[in-house]
Amino acid sequence: MQMHQAKRVEITIEKIMQSRLTRALQDADVTGYTILPVLGGSGRSGEWSRSGQISRGTGMVQVVCIVRPERLEALLEAAFAVVEKHIGVVSVTDCQVLRAERF
Amino acid sequence: MFSLAAENLLSPIVLSFVLGLGAALARSDLSVPEAAAKMMSIYLLFAIGFKGGVAVSDHGVDGALALSLIAGVVLSALLPLLAFALLKVMTNLSRIDAAAVAGHYGSISIVTFVAASTVLESAGLKAEGYMVAVAAAMEAPAILSALWLVSRGGSGDAERMSGDLWREILLNGSIVLLLGSFAIGWVTGAEGLAKIDSFIVAPFQGVLCLFLLDMGLIAGRGLRGARGVLTGGVFAFGLIMPVLGATAGLATGLLLGLSTGGVALLMVLSASASYIAVPAAMRVALPEANPSVYLTLSLAVTFPFNLTLGIPLYLAAAQWTTGG
């Protein structure tokens, strides 16, 4: 089966920033993404768990985008403008997709 | 006052909170499902807003409502300045952290307000129904004060308060539900209440107990993680600031000529610290501020203090000063 190279970008960010991030992605013509709830974790800002939250400002989500390699730079620039000062992680991995025209 | 405090401490709502707090501190796996907690908060906000609207419908509107709203806005805007000055004296927090914390103490905790309303009812005291609207009015001005405190220090950023953030603050779910149910109660009055009182009156305290159980769990987890976050000075601030805020609320309530219950509720609003609306705004507008400090302080220090000792203290002070 024919496979195509793509980039998978995972952005773990505060829930309060989710709409700002997705808007920035859409402005950069990245219209395909998946949003996942984050249960918890630990990092520079300490340990964190979804079950211990009351404020909508303190939850975390993960936004996953898969794009063609040539569109990666524009995506990262748009995302970085939003997440720069905020708690979170941005990672990029190589992946392969079946239907290249969808990305 | 001591009997009032003892009565409050042994009430089902406070004991439910203590149960949650103890369970979290003991590392129990007890938890309230997220969706259930959200449903309970919707129920409580709807019920308290509706009942406030009905009370206004019964007694009518007068100039005191407008004056109380203005007073609430002014209190919310000014209390952060007092909190900021206190933090500068008592702690080593950076300007941004201190401003973020100060913003929380100008805004309000609606759960503390709900608990205080329940205590007032148990004591046979009535408050002005429009205090619900005053609570809503006190949510946001403190955020502006916090940002002003930061900008005064040379860290100003014109982009901090975007139109989106304003919309999120002013139209956050709690405010919309509280004011919406208040309006429904106002329009439908006692007749409307009669139709749904079996839903929003009788089960109210039971639901509040379960909600406070969850709050206890959250506060307990916050306290467990507080080591290394809260220094002695910061912790002491979390206990002193509510009393100073309540004193400002007391003076304002007396100036406004509110009833004993109204004065007590204004004290509670002035004493409480936000842990829902303001943290969300601070994460967007002041991402450099440490959320562990302001969330732990408002949720794990000030909220338990107000719930257990603060409310009876403020009620006793309101009764003493108004002769009620």
Side-chain angles (χ1 to χ4, degrees), chain A residues 14 16-17 19-20 23 45 50-58 85-87, chain B residues 34 157 164-165 168 172 215 218 221 275-276 279-280 283-284 287-288 295 299:
Chain A
E14 294 161 282
I16 190 77
M17 299 304 292
S19 60
R20 290 167 176 80
R23 208 175 312 130
S45 305
R50 182 173 167 175
S51 65
Q53 306 303 310
I54 187 166
S55 167
R56 70 197 170 91
T58 51
K85 292 180 179 173
H86 290 264
I87 296 168
Chain B
E34 199 178 330
D157 183 346
D164 281 345
L165 183 55
E168 284 169 22
N172 85 64
M215 292 290 293
I218 293 168
R221 290 187 196 112
Y275 40 77
I276 297 178
R283 288 314 301 145
V284 176
E288 309 91 335
L295 268 177
L299 193 55

Side-chain angles (χ1 to χ4, degrees), chain B residues 36-115:
Chain B
K38 181 149 192 176
M39 187 61 228
M40 286 191 288
S41 78
I42 288 173
Y43 170 84
L44 293 171
L45 286 170
F46 183 84
I48 201 84
F50 194 97
K51 287 189 273 187
V54 171
V56 169
S57 158
D58 283 349
H59 295 99
V61 179
D62 51 27
L65 188 155
L67 281 177
S68 300
L69 285 175
I70 294 168
V73 169
V74 171
L75 269 174
S76 175
L78 294 183
L79 283 173
L81 309 187
L82 174 64
F84 186 77
L86 199 59
L87 283 163
K88 281 298 175 195
V89 173
M90 294 179 67
T91 73
N92 292 322
L93 290 180
S94 68
R95 185 176 193 90
I96 286 184
D97 279 338
V101 170
H104 287 68
Y105 282 81
S107 188
I108 59 118
S109 149
I110 199 68
V111 183
T112 314
F113 177 80
V114 171

